[in-house]
Amino acid sequence: MAREKAVNRKMGMKMKENLYQVILWIILLIIAGTMVLPFLYVIMVSFTDSSVYVAGSFYLWPKKWSTEAYQLILSGAGFLNALKSTLFITLVGTPLNVLVCAGLAYLLSKPVPGKKFFNKYVMITMLFGAGMIPNFMNMKALGLMDSYFACILPSVCGAWTVMVMRSFFQSLPVELEEAAEIDGCGQLKMFGIIVLPLSKAMLASMTLFAFVSYWNTYFSAVMYLTSTAKAPLQVYVQKIVLSSTVSDVVDLQLELARTVPQEVMRMAAVVVVVLPVLVVYPFLQKYFASGMMVGAVKG
């Protein structure tokens, strides 16, 4: 009798656990749907043919497919100029950010003179910022107005990134560096041939963060870039979304630009800007969890 009660109690607990899991999965699917459906709607609208497009209607599968909006966006001079600006900012800023942050983090992970002062100095920059006007005056005093480096240099070293990298470097086995030092390896060589290869997961995670940050450059571009030709993709998309006549922003005088609905062209512009991040992310995703977790073990 007691055994049957124990079995029934165990089955009841298992049913409750299964019910809890089902409810949890339903809640997570609803949350995921609120994030995925809007983006899926944007993609479907961007591929909708102008002959079947109905403004204000919601659908997740177009009645007729078309790539006219993408052809217009990609062929416009405005998009090409914005793409060049974004590529320069991203391809220069991302490796520079990772290299500078890794170098500073490795320095702070070692028993160097003034280590406590520099650690506190880096932490203060994470808690307090100079503000918009001092930053603008600083860029102007440095002669970086209307220069791509005005969008690159302010973000080249972040306190949070340095702290995560420092924790990761501190978690590496000290014996490896001691063995390399006995063999006559200097600190710079040790950093290049031993520390960095062991930090691939963490560096991949930080590279992803830096890539997304520079690719989404908007506020600094609005603040410091005065030439329209130097505006990056985010500023370009913002003008398209807010413009009443998209064809003027895209720099198109084709007859086709008048037949494609404005909303379809806006959606196509958004997809074109977001697509590179979606392409890069899967290649770095496998390093993301391990890099962030290992870097947070020791502080």
Side-chain angles (χ1 to χ4, degrees):
M1 190 71 178
R3 188 175 180 180
E4 291 181 0
K5 288 183 178 180
V7 172
N8 292 334
R9 190 182 301 111
K10 189 175 181 180
M11 291 180 62
M13 291 177 63
K14 190 173 182 179
M15 289 181 63
K16 289 181 180 179
E17 184 179 352
N18 292 336
L19 181 61
Y20 170 77
Q21 291 292 335
V22 170
I23 295 174
L24 182 61
W25 274 106
I26 293 174
I27 294 174
L28 291 176
L29 287 174
I30 293 174
I31 295 174
T34 60
M35 300 177 183
V36 174
L37 288 179
F39 185 67
L40 184 61
Y41 170 73
V42 170
I43 296 176
M44 293 300 104
V45 171
S46 67
F47 281 104
T48 302
D49 189 84
S50 57
S51 60
V52 297
Y53 174 73
V54 179
S57 60
F58 180 82
Y59 50 89
L60 297 177
W61 194 263
K63 296 179 180 178
K64 186 177 180 181
W65 293 79
S66 174
T67 59
E68 293 178 347
Y70 289 97
Q71 295 174 16
L72 291 174
I73 294 293
L74 297 177
S75 61
F79 171 79
L80 296 178
N81 290 332
L83 179 62
K84 291 177 183 177
S85 300
T86 298
L87 286 176
F88 182 86
I89 293 172
T90 304
L91 296 180
V92 174
T94 300
L96 194 62
N97 173 275
V98 175
L99 184 61
V100 171
C101 290
L104 178 58
Y106 182 69
L107 176 68
L108 296 179
S109 67
K110 300 302 172 187
V112 296
K115 176 181 176 180
K116 290 184 178 180
F117 169 78
F118 288 114
N119 275 323
K120 291 179 181 178
Y121 184 81
V122 173
M123 287 296 296
I124 288 174
T125 62
M126 185 164 60
L127 300 174
F128 303 99
M132 181 175 63
I133 296 177
N135 286 331
F136 180 84
M137 295 175 64
N138 188 31
M139 291 296 107
K140 190 173 182 180
L142 293 173
L144 294 177
M145 295 299 295
D146 202 26
S147 171
Y148 291 132
F149 286 97
C151 301
I152 296 174
L153 295 181
S155 304
V156 80
C157 187
W160 180 83
T161 304
V162 172
M163 290 297 116
V164 173
M165 287 185 169
R166 185 201 64 175
S167 299
F168 184 89
F169 292 144
Q170 288 176 340
S171 67
L172 294 177
V174 183
E175 293 78 11
L176 290 175
E177 297 185 23
E178 291 177 349
E181 191 174 353
I182 293 174
D183 292 336
C185 187
Q187 286 293 335
L188 187 60
K189 189 176 181 180
M190 189 186 305
F191 177 69
I193 67 175
I194 295 178
V195 176
L196 290 183
L198 292 174
S199 310
K200 288 182 180 179
M202 182 269 296
L203 292 176
S205 301
M206 297 301 115
T207 300
L208 177 62
F209 287 149
F211 176 84
V212 173
S213 176
Y214 280 114
W215 184 268
N216 291 330
T217 297
Y218 172 76
F219 187 74
S220 57
V222 174
M223 287 284 294
Y224 308 130
L225 299 181
T226 56
S227 300
T228 306
K230 290 185 177 181
L233 282 174
Q234 304 302 327
V235 178
Y236 173 77
V237 170
Q238 183 259 353
K239 291 180 179 179
I240 289 180
V241 172
L242 298 181
S243 176
S244 58
T245 308
V246 178
S247 58
D248 294 340
V249 180
V250 183
D251 293 337
L252 289 172
Q253 302 299 328
L254 301 176
E255 187 66 28
L256 182 61
R258 299 171 188 166
T259 61
V260 177
Q262 305 289 308
E263 193 66 20
V264 175
M265 292 184 65
R266 292 189 182 99
M267 299 301 185
V270 171
V271 173
V272 167
V273 172
V274 175
L275 186 62
V277 177
L278 297 179
V279 172
V280 171
Y281 183 80
F283 294 100
L284 299 177
Q285 184 182 13
K286 61 181 180 180
Y287 300 106
F288 184 77
S290 58
M292 294 304 298
M293 289 300 294
V294 175
V297 168
K298 187 177 179 181

